[in-house]
Amino acid sequence: MKIAFPDFKTKLDKKGVKLPANIEKVLSACQSFTCYNTTEELADAATCGKENNEFAVSYDIEGKGTFTEAIVHRVQNGISVNYTEAYMRRRDPGTMVIGDDKPTGKQRFSEKYNYPFSDIQKETFDWLKENDLAVFFYFAGRQGIGSLGIAIAPANAGFFAMGLSMLQEIVAIDELAENSELKSVIYVAPVFRHTHFDGKQVVVHNRLDDIHELYSYNLYPGPSAKKGLYGVLLTQGEKEEWVTAHCSAVQSISPYDIVTTFMHEGASGGGKSELHQHIVRETDGRVLLGKNSVTGETRYITIPRTCNFLPIADDMAFCHPSFQKKNGKLGIMDAENAWFVRVDSVNQYGDDPVLEKATIHPKKPLLFLNIDTKPESTALIWNHIEDEPGKPCPNPRVVLPRESVENTINGSVSVDVRSFGIRTPKCSKEDPTYGIVGLFHVLPPALAWLWRLVAPRGHKNPSIVGTGAMESEGVGSYWPFATGDRIIHANLLLKQIIETPRTIFSLVPNQNIGVWEVGFKPQLLMREYLTRRGGAKLKDDQIQAARCPLLGYELNYLTIESSKIPSRFLKVYNQVEVGTEGYDAGAEVLQEFFNRELKKFMHKDLFHTGRKIIDACLSNASIEEYNQIIPMDYEYSFNNIEDYEQSSYNNGL
């Protein structure tokens, strides 16, 4: 509803909801604003009215004329959006800057742009005042964990507001709880990326004492509506000493009714959304394990019946203190109201029947990004728009509400297996790389922590703008979205790992194992195998210390439902195209990467146990040495970080 500011203010006053000064300054002086109460209303606003089936989101740019940011189509199953620039179809990892002077490990606005943030802040408010605006309230988080916020965007950016209202639950003004406090705000001003930031995506975090302000100077939801508000949750958790993990999660049920809960972490492109995929079979019922990129050989296995699974989380999960049952396992709950699902692996009808069904016949309108559509058509998730002729966009997306996903678990769960995914390139003797990771590896707790500190972004990341080289996303793989101190988060993760000794850790590659192209099959087969074991310990002769110590334990053999996995998929040096020569060269690449990244954490405020683990890594420690710091075989006497820090084992430091 379009509403005058005095009436809006009166409604909030009756609820006991106070507007912070900057918000009141903008809304009281703008041309007009409409307060939206449902996502369906914002879906209508996305095309500037339900009667329109196509709309161009355009702005007048000083010195450049009219620029169209995106074309919006009303389709049978929701709203489809396509950006006019290929650059805007992925998240730029260099988006975040800090506008305040509070402690941070990130670059400040004034350092990057050589003028104070207050200057552009005033210009932003002035620009918003000249426009008709869209306004709505949201809750960043779920089930009471998180905080209330308000979004303020130009009225013609309805699609952006729609996506935000799905990712973070929209709250109708009449349903605001009495005396609610606004803890975050998003100001959306897309013209500034052209006038001030050379066309780049920029999101500024300005952490005031009473509210966390986000300034989104672009219309791609990834760095602001999605990861920007993730930063708000991380900031809250940093103050309250808990983590919002960058992960997906499922509860997997074997054909024998064994239930195992998986939590899969990793940098963007690390396979989080793919954990929710079913294993696709060939027409004859077999499962393609991989294809040799050198010889063209294919390898198949047979699995008579795969596991069923219940989705829990897609990208973010609260590790809140209220979920910890003191049972030695990590407790988590989904932190999102909707999932920002990348569908680049869905290339034709039948690649993911469950997701196809959910997106073709949704319960409510969905938001599609980078999907090739026509007005009034049906958006099909395998029709990816092309960045240029013959080159499909690598980051097609759909915003999928949790309620549109069948059999989701809404409450908290205890994690049995905590895996970490890494995109690996091909590796051979002639071209050695870090693509030496086998189908999956078992990690000691100390190594599991190190992998979360360095969090490699990996090979050909489809989600972000990047060089394609191996880069680090840092602590827990969520560091690009955090606003505070990396050492605080490193300590929180170490504390979490030590205090949950019954949760086991694994490392899983995707895309390539040596010269074999495998896609995301490794993590899906890991899910199948470990579910059938029900958390039972692997036999002593089944694992051995990996040739590269950073990879923990490698598998000597693996059989899934009578299908034996060939050794070359478990130990990459057994591939004739790689050998020990190519493997060892790849291990050096990995060790150099760890050495470079871990030095950033050698700080006086890091837990002594953490410093000891990093020292071990920098000294090329063996698996046994890592296990001496944090034993891999837990004792059922619930550990805590204080015991580790004060023990004589750590010299009382």
Side-chain angles (χ1 to χ4, degrees):
M1 60 178 177
K2 187 165 282 192
I3 186 171
F5 178 75
D7 297 332
F8 181 74
K9 184 76 161 50
T10 298
K11 277 180 171 282
L12 295 181
D13 287 343
K14 288 180 179 178
K15 292 273 189 178
V17 177
K18 296 180 180 179
L19 283 177
N22 285 341
I23 298 172
E24 185 165 340
K25 188 188 304 181
V26 170
L27 295 184
S28 63
C30 67
Q31 294 292 312
S32 70
F33 69 91
T34 300
C35 182
Y36 293 92
N37 294 305
T38 67
T39 295
E40 289 76 10
E41 291 176 1
L42 286 166
D44 291 342
T47 56
C48 201
K50 194 172 185 177
E51 67 280 5
N52 300 318
N53 59 23
E54 186 171 10
F55 181 69
V57 182
S58 302
Y59 299 95
D60 291 328
I61 310 297
E62 186 177 348
K64 294 185 178 181
T66 301
F67 182 86
T68 298
E69 290 279 355
I71 301 295
V72 183
H73 292 159
R74 184 174 300 280
V75 293
Q76 295 294 322
N77 43 348
I79 297 295
S80 175
V81 181
N82 278 300
Y83 299 93
T84 59
E85 291 178 82
Y87 164 76
M88 284 299 297
R89 296 171 190 156
R90 291 190 282 176
R91 176 174 58 85
D92 190 328
T95 298
M96 175 192 280
V97 286
I98 305 298
D100 58 68
D101 58 1
K102 296 182 183 298
T104 183
K106 297 298 177 62
Q107 191 171 25
R108 298 188 190 274
F109 186 94
S110 57
E111 296 168 346
K112 187 170 184 177
Y113 298 108
N114 298 315
Y115 62 92
F117 173 64
S118 57
D119 290 358
I120 195 172
Q121 181 186 43
K122 180 181 183 304
E123 292 182 59
T124 304
F125 292 159
D126 290 343
W127 183 82
L128 289 168
K129 291 173 188 177
E130 295 170 357
N131 284 268
D132 297 318
L133 303 177
V135 175
F136 67 92
F137 296 93
Y138 59 82
F139 187 82
R142 284 184 67 241
Q143 297 191 13
I145 299 173
S147 60
L148 183 69
I150 185 171
I152 300 173
N156 68 345
F159 82 86
F160 179 93
M162 176 191 177
L164 171 55
S165 76
M166 297 169 75
L167 293 164
Q168 316 296 333
E169 183 179 7
I170 190 169
V171 182
I173 189 170
D174 291 335
E175 295 177 4
L176 290 172
E178 299 288 334
N179 301 313
S180 298
E181 289 186 79
L182 288 171
K183 290 296 185 181
S184 66
V185 56
I186 295 184
Y187 298 105
V188 184
V191 300
F192 285 75
R193 83 175 180 97
H194 302 284
T195 58
H196 291 67
F197 302 120
D198 196 29
K200 300 298 183 183
Q201 300 172 24
V202 172
V203 174
V204 182
H205 287 251
N206 193 41
R207 300 163 296 171
L208 305 179
D209 291 338
D210 59 342
I211 192 167
H212 190 138
E213 296 182 333
L214 286 174
Y215 294 79
S216 179
Y217 294 116
N218 71 94
L219 289 180
Y220 181 55
S224 49
K226 171 76 171 166
K227 302 304 187 185
L229 282 169
Y230 190 0
V232 171
L233 293 173
L234 289 169
T235 301
Q236 180 181 348
E238 185 176 331
K239 295 175 183 176
E240 300 173 4
E241 297 189 352
W242 51 270
V243 165
T244 300
H246 193 204
C247 71
S248 61
V250 299
Q251 197 164 78
S252 184
I253 305 166
S254 80
Y256 323 113
D257 300 319
I258 297 172
V259 179
T260 305
T261 301
F262 291 84
M263 170 183 177
H264 185 71
E265 296 164 277
S268 298
K272 293 183 289 299
S273 290
E274 287 76 12
L275 187 68
H276 293 175
Q277 290 183 354
H278 293 265
I279 294 179
V280 177
R281 297 178 183 273
E282 302 300 300
T283 54
D284 61 3
R286 292 181 299 169
V287 174
L288 176 64
L289 180 56
K291 178 180 179 180
N292 189 307
S293 61
V294 176
T295 66
E297 177 190 355
T298 53
R299 181 75 188 200
Y300 299 87
I301 60 173
T302 300
I303 305 178
R305 183 179 169 188
T306 55
C307 297
N308 187 23
F309 62 87
L310 307 177
I312 299 167
D314 176 73
D315 187 64
M316 296 156 51
F318 290 132
C319 306
H320 194 267
S322 63
F323 307 147
Q324 310 314 315
K325 302 182 185 299
K326 305 299 182 184
N327 62 356
K329 296 183 179 181
L330 179 64
I332 64 170
M333 184 182 79
D334 192 11
E336 297 185 283
N337 188 56
W339 298 343
F340 197 44
V341 182
R342 190 182 67 249
V343 293
D344 63 312
S345 61
V346 183
N347 292 297
Q348 60 185 349
Y349 174 74
D351 278 357
D352 193 334
V354 174
L355 187 58
E356 290 161 24
K357 178 182 176 182
T359 56
I360 292 174
H361 303 291
K363 298 176 182 178
K364 291 183 178 180
L366 305 182
L367 180 65
F368 299 87
L369 300 174
N370 308 327
I371 300 294
D372 194 3
T373 55
K374 303 294 183 188
E376 299 185 350
S377 67
T378 297
L380 302 173
I381 56 176
W382 57 85
N383 284 344
H384 309 156
I385 197 166
E386 293 187 335
D387 282 351
E388 57 187 65
K391 184 180 179 181
C393 172
N395 192 39
R397 296 272 182 170
V398 58
V399 182
L400 189 65
R402 293 185 95 258
E403 62 184 351
S404 295
V405 182
E406 294 182 355
N407 301 318
T408 51
I409 294 176
N410 289 313
S412 62
V413 296
S414 294
V415 176
D416 298 302
V417 179
R418 194 170 169 182
S419 55
F420 196 91
I422 174 175
R423 296 182 73 90
T424 45
K426 294 171 186 174
C427 176
S428 65
K429 294 175 184 175
E430 295 75 22
D431 185 18
T433 70
Y434 55 94
I436 60 171
V437 186
L439 192 78
F440 73 86
H441 293 249
V442 177
L443 295 179
L447 264 177
W449 179 67
L450 291 184
W451 273 95
R452 281 154 183 79
L453 291 195
V454 301
R457 188 173 289 148
H459 169 68
K460 289 187 177 178
N461 189 298
S463 301
I464 62 169
V465 177
T467 63
M470 193 178 189
E471 299 174 276
S472 171
E473 286 202 352
V475 285
S477 80
Y478 61 72
W479 179 242
F481 327 126
T483 62
D485 186 325
R486 80 169 79 228
I487 303 303
I488 291 176
H489 288 276
N491 284 339
L492 286 172
L493 288 171
L494 182 56
K495 179 177 187 291
Q496 188 183 77
I497 287 172
I498 285 175
E499 296 181 356
T500 55
R502 294 182 63 210
T503 293
I504 64 174
F505 298 91
S506 66
L507 177 70
V508 189
N510 66 68
Q511 305 314 307
N512 300 281
I513 295 177
V515 297
W516 286 79
E517 299 169 354
V518 294
F520 290 96
K521 287 286 170 52
Q523 66 189 53
L524 301 183
L525 293 175
M526 176 206 69
R527 186 186 69 196
E528 288 293 317
Y529 181 73
L530 293 182
T531 300
R532 283 168 167 78
R533 295 193 65 88
K537 183 181 176 182
L538 298 176
K539 293 174 64 177
D540 289 343
D541 68 345
Q542 189 173 0
I543 60 173
Q544 67 179 26
R547 186 176 178 90
C548 171
L550 291 174
L551 301 184
Y553 293 93
E554 62 190 17
L555 296 168
N556 288 323
Y557 58 86
L558 181 68
T559 303
I560 305 176
E561 294 286 358
S562 76
S563 285
K564 183 179 179 180
I565 305 298
S567 173
R568 57 185 175 273
F569 288 95
L570 309 178
K571 304 174 181 179
V572 175
Y573 51 82
N574 283 347
Q575 296 178 20
V576 295
E577 300 89 348
V578 181
T580 56
E581 177 186 345
Y583 182 100
D584 291 347
E588 287 182 17
V589 172
L590 204 56
Q591 184 69 53
E592 289 171 5
F593 174 78
F594 270 70
N595 290 352
R596 181 176 72 248
E597 296 300 326
L598 289 176
K599 288 174 182 176
K600 301 174 184 177
F601 294 91
M602 292 302 279
H603 188 276
K604 62 180 179 61
D605 293 333
L606 186 70
F607 286 148
H608 176 81
T609 305
R611 297 202 300 275
K612 195 166 186 178
I613 295 170
I614 293 175
D615 279 336
C617 182
L618 297 178
S619 302
N620 298 316
S622 66
I623 301 300
E624 290 74 18
E625 290 173 288
Y626 287 115
N627 280 328
Q628 287 172 3
I629 302 173
I630 305 178
M632 186 172 173
D633 291 328
Y634 71 89
E635 296 178 7
Y636 210 88
S637 59
F638 306 111
N639 303 329
N640 61 69
I641 188 64
E642 289 77 15
D643 290 343
Y644 272 78
E645 290 297 288
Q646 295 300 321
S647 69
S648 58
Y649 189 83
N650 280 328
N651 302 318
L653 296 177

